[in-house]
Amino acid sequence: MSDPRHPDKTIDAKNALVVGMDERVYESTKLAALFDELVAQGTSAKEILRNIALQVPEVHSPKTRISLTELMTACENAIRLSSDRHLPYRIGASIHISTYGMYGFAILCCPDFRDAMSFAWRYHSLAAPLATIEFREEKGFASWTIEPNARAAIDPRVYRFIAEMQIGIHISLMRDIMGAAFVPDHISLTYPEADDFRLPADLIGCPIRFSNGFNRIVFRSDWLDQAARLGNKTTYPMIVALCDELLGELKLRVGIAGEIRALLLRDIANPPTLAAVATLLDISDRSLRRQLRQQGISFRGLLDELRSHLALKYLRTTKLANEDIALALGFSDAANFRRAFRRWTQKSPSEIRTE
């Protein structure tokens, strides 16, 4: 197990980006897919967008930008409004490679399927990520590991909804890339079989295994050995350059808060002070405070945000004791950690572990 004081990143350093939940920087692709699926089921558009600062015409506008909080709110609304047990998978399966614009075009242009998997992983920040993803290949099998955003761990229903929607997206995109015949070897899920959602094994075509250590799509590596019929070695580098520009624009929209989050994550157990961060960013304390105020964020709020998300991740995905998590996050003892955790989530660590 890696040192919890230095959490692993799932995107390489070149493309690392730490975005706050409330920053409206993402295209509305996934929200639009959710919206369309629920409208097709006869659901009120107004109810789908409840507590989301969008009007109906904005849902499909290329100019619209949403936050991860708004996307998660849409998922919560969907859970409340629909009794369709396959809804999250249906939403994911309705998202195709063409939906993702330049990011999707770059995946299509990859000269081989292994490059396509690597590209999708490294540039996942462009796809309004409600989950972290990781691709790996070993011993004749390849896999995608999917872990919903730590905030989703507060509500087990939201966690399952996001996990199954992301699985639907992955399978849809892999069938777009590798052909409609693509079938995983199996899918594993961290949670036991539930009554609210269920992946449609008949549509996916493989066994579903519950109560495992990871949410994971596993498939034979020989799927990656096929020729990429739409790959283009000439176009690919040009499209990658355009995606680099999109990442740069995203970083600009995130602003100073994103840079501070990245610095704090270097050693969350011993985070730098505001003055130290200002020095690292080569600006004055006063200027740093002013820029944060302009974004409606405080330095303390950023630190609490990161600590709460990491705490949820450790509680959900590891067996670390509260004392170890407290140490990893820079708290003097477990009692202080428990008090802070309840302030962040209105729940205790033990409640998260038992859900």
Side-chain angles (χ1 to χ4, degrees):
M1 183 180 296
S2 61
D3 185 345
R5 291 171 294 182
H6 302 282
D8 292 334
K9 306 296 189 299
T10 57
I11 301 174
D12 66 1
K14 173 186 174 185
N15 295 311
L17 184 62
V18 187
V19 181
M21 289 292 295
D22 296 319
E23 295 179 82
R24 304 187 85 197
V25 296
Y26 293 110
E27 295 180 1
S28 58
T29 300
K30 291 178 181 175
L31 190 150
L34 181 151
F35 181 90
D36 290 345
E37 188 67 31
L38 285 173
V39 166
Q41 294 184 5
T43 308
S44 159
K46 182 179 179 181
E47 286 301 304
I48 300 169
L49 298 178
R50 179 183 283 191
N51 299 321
I52 300 171
L54 284 181
Q55 300 299 315
V56 172
E58 295 176 298
V59 171
H60 298 93
S61 170
K63 296 181 180 179
T64 295
R65 294 294 180 269
I66 65 169
S67 68
L68 295 179
T69 292
E70 289 173 317
L71 182 53
M72 190 170 290
T73 299
C75 294
E76 292 167 349
N77 290 342
I79 292 169
R80 174 174 54 83
L81 294 168
S82 176
S83 58
D84 180 357
R85 297 189 68 183
H86 298 325
L87 179 65
Y89 180 82
R90 288 188 208 281
I91 293 168
S94 74
I95 296 176
H96 291 282
I97 203 80
S98 59
T99 311
Y100 281 117
M102 199 62 66
Y103 172 64
F105 186 42
I107 294 173
L108 276 182
C109 289
C110 288
D112 62 60
F113 291 143
R114 284 186 176 82
D115 281 343
M117 301 300 107
S118 177
F119 181 91
W121 177 20
R122 290 185 293 115
Y123 286 80
H124 189 224
S125 294
L126 296 174
L130 280 179
T132 57
I133 62 173
E134 182 178 2
F135 175 76
R136 65 173 56 190
E137 184 179 4
E138 56 186 354
K139 297 180 179 179
F141 286 90
S143 66
W144 282 107
T145 301
I146 296 164
E147 181 56 32
N149 187 292
R151 180 166 165 179
I154 298 174
D155 187 335
R157 298 172 306 161
V158 176
Y159 182 92
R160 291 193 293 274
F161 189 97
I162 292 173
E164 297 187 15
M165 182 172 71
Q166 191 65 47
I167 287 169
I169 292 171
H170 268 71
I171 291 175
S172 176
L173 297 186
M174 285 192 287
R175 286 176 175 168
D176 285 347
I177 297 167
M178 292 187 275
F182 171 80
V183 177
D185 180 79
H186 68 270
I187 293 173
S188 64
L189 299 167
T190 60
Y191 44 87
E193 190 168 5
D195 294 329
D196 44 12
F197 312 120
R198 174 180 293 173
L199 289 171
D202 56 333
L203 296 180
I204 297 172
C206 73
I208 313 295
R209 302 173 183 174
F210 295 92
S211 301
N212 278 267
F214 300 94
N215 302 306
R216 186 168 280 170
I217 304 168
V218 180
F219 56 98
R220 299 188 316 276
S221 290
D222 55 18
W223 282 104
L224 302 174
D225 295 329
Q226 303 174 56
R229 290 173 293 121
L230 299 178
N232 189 300
K233 293 182 179 180
T234 302
T235 305
Y236 177 64
M238 293 188 291
I239 301 302
V240 170
L242 290 174
C243 287
D244 282 335
E245 290 181 16
L246 291 175
L247 271 179
E249 292 171 8
L250 182 57
K251 290 177 182 179
L252 287 176
R253 290 198 296 270
V254 170
I256 196 72
E259 296 183 65
I260 294 173
R261 289 188 187 96
L263 290 172
L264 291 173
L265 278 174
R266 288 181 182 178
D267 190 355
I268 198 72
N270 300 285
T273 63
L274 183 143
V277 167
T279 299
L280 289 168
L281 295 176
D282 196 25
I283 58 177
S284 67
D285 296 15
R286 183 176 179 180
S287 177
L288 180 57
R289 293 181 194 277
R290 176 177 54 77
Q291 291 184 52
L292 285 172
R293 281 197 302 271
Q294 290 173 344
Q295 288 189 248
I297 301 169
S298 71
F299 183 78
R300 180 70 193 182
L302 287 174
L303 181 57
D304 281 350
E305 172 194 284
L306 292 173
R307 282 174 161 168
S308 66
H309 287 187
L310 289 171
L312 285 163
K313 176 183 177 180
Y314 296 145
L315 291 167
R316 184 88 192 184
T317 64
T318 77
K319 295 182 179 180
L320 288 171
N322 286 347
E323 290 77 8
D324 294 327
I325 296 175
L327 176 64
L329 298 180
F331 288 93
S332 58
D333 55 49
N336 282 330
F337 163 64
R338 285 194 294 270
R339 283 193 291 272
F341 188 81
R342 184 170 288 280
R343 174 166 53 84
W344 297 331
T345 67
Q346 288 73 57
K347 291 188 178 184
S348 68
S350 60
E351 286 179 281
I352 297 296
R353 287 192 190 276
T354 57
E355 287 178 334

